[in-house]
Amino acid sequence: MTSLAARYEALKASLPKGVELIAVSKTRSVDEIKALYDLGHRAFGENYPQELKDKQAQLPADVQWHFIGHLQTNKVKYIAPFVHLVHSGDSERLLDELDKRAAANNRTISVLLQVHVAQEETKFGFTLEELEPLVPGFRDRWTNLRIEGLMAMASLTEDMEQVQRELAGVNALFDRIKASGAFPIGQFATLSMGMSSDLPVALANGSNMVRIGTALFGARP
């Protein structure tokens, strides 16, 4: 059986230069996370606020915690004091709450705007059409947030042509927003797309942050 260290090194070696790996650690034990931490990894992605809060208290302070799931407004308080990056900024209401909690904790919270392109009702996010007109007002409206870029999840399908179309649309939107001057140079620089199932397509469409779980930690017991 392949070891965690071997899987980690192989995965890192397969990623292009400049692509950041987020280890999806939801439902993984503190010991599993610590084993990857001991190999030098620091960026971990969680889906559940209470689980994230509990793990944060048990693991080293230099872990960069990424929140990658749908975040309910009443759960923001659990992660606002320490979260490194919220990938799922999927509504104006959530951004309002994140901004309020950031101010209350005297910090700036980094956020990715989630784009909804998947043909699935269970996914969240702004549509391509509704997000772009909002962008010019973001910096004035949410003064305690730092908008770092976009996040998207493609449809869960074996049709890679569909996945290609969806992620290409997000990539084009990302380029338009970056070129618009709505954010300072260097700020709007992260495009988080790609999981184990669609990694090559995501990388081909400009992703520079990928979220990998099972291919890294192995199958769950």
Side-chain angles (χ1 to χ4, degrees):
M1 189 170 69
T2 311
S3 69
L4 173 63
R7 290 192 299 268
Y8 179 51
E9 291 304 324
L11 185 55
K12 283 200 303 178
S14 73
L15 294 175
K17 185 178 180 180
V19 175
E20 183 175 3
L21 170 64
I22 309 303
V24 178
S25 52
K26 64 175 182 178
T27 75
R28 299 291 180 173
S29 69
V30 167
D31 287 343
E32 286 178 289
I33 297 171
K34 185 62 164 58
L36 189 55
Y37 176 92
D38 288 342
L39 292 172
H41 197 70
R42 294 294 180 269
F44 294 88
E46 293 282 332
N47 283 50
Y48 308 109
Q50 188 61 59
E51 180 183 346
L52 172 51
K53 181 184 177 186
D54 293 343
K55 288 175 176 176
Q56 188 266 344
Q58 299 176 68
L59 285 154
D62 63 337
V63 171
Q64 296 178 357
W65 293 107
H66 292 244
F67 192 83
I68 60 176
H70 174 58
L71 181 57
Q72 295 175 298
T73 54
N74 64 342
K75 302 293 178 61
V76 171
K77 60 190 175 188
Y78 294 126
I79 65 172
F82 63 84
V83 69
H84 179 75
L85 178 64
V86 175
H87 288 227
S88 46
D90 59 17
S91 70
E92 294 179 67
R93 184 167 172 258
L94 176 59
L95 294 174
D96 285 341
E97 183 66 19
L98 283 164
D99 189 70
K100 183 179 80 173
R101 293 291 178 178
N105 284 278
N106 195 30
R107 66 185 300 247
T108 299
I109 294 179
S110 292
V111 180
L112 299 178
L113 304 174
Q114 183 172 348
V115 184
H116 185 170
V117 289
Q119 302 302 305
E120 300 164 35
E121 291 303 316
T122 54
K123 297 289 198 302
F124 297 89
F126 296 95
T127 66
L128 294 170
E129 295 75 22
E130 68 186 356
L131 180 58
E132 205 160 2
L134 292 173
V135 166
F138 269 62
R139 290 173 64 192
D140 293 332
R141 179 170 174 183
W142 293 296
T143 56
N144 300 290
L145 302 183
R146 180 180 166 90
I147 306 300
E148 302 284 3
L150 302 180
M151 183 275 265
M153 290 182 287
S155 296
L156 192 59
T157 174
E158 294 181 2
D159 182 355
M160 287 299 112
E161 290 186 4
Q162 179 180 341
V163 172
Q164 162 64 28
R165 290 193 300 272
E166 292 171 354
L167 298 188
V170 180
N171 188 20
L173 174 64
F174 177 74
D175 287 342
R176 289 197 302 274
I177 294 175
K178 190 162 66 168
S180 72
F183 299 102
I185 293 174
Q187 177 175 325
F188 193 88
T190 300
L191 183 55
S192 176
M193 304 190 300
M195 299 178 286
S196 300
S197 60
D198 58 11
L199 185 58
V201 181
L203 293 173
N205 282 284
S207 175
N208 56 20
M209 181 177 281
V210 297
R211 309 176 299 275
I212 306 294
T214 302
L216 184 55
F217 285 104
R220 288 180 174 80

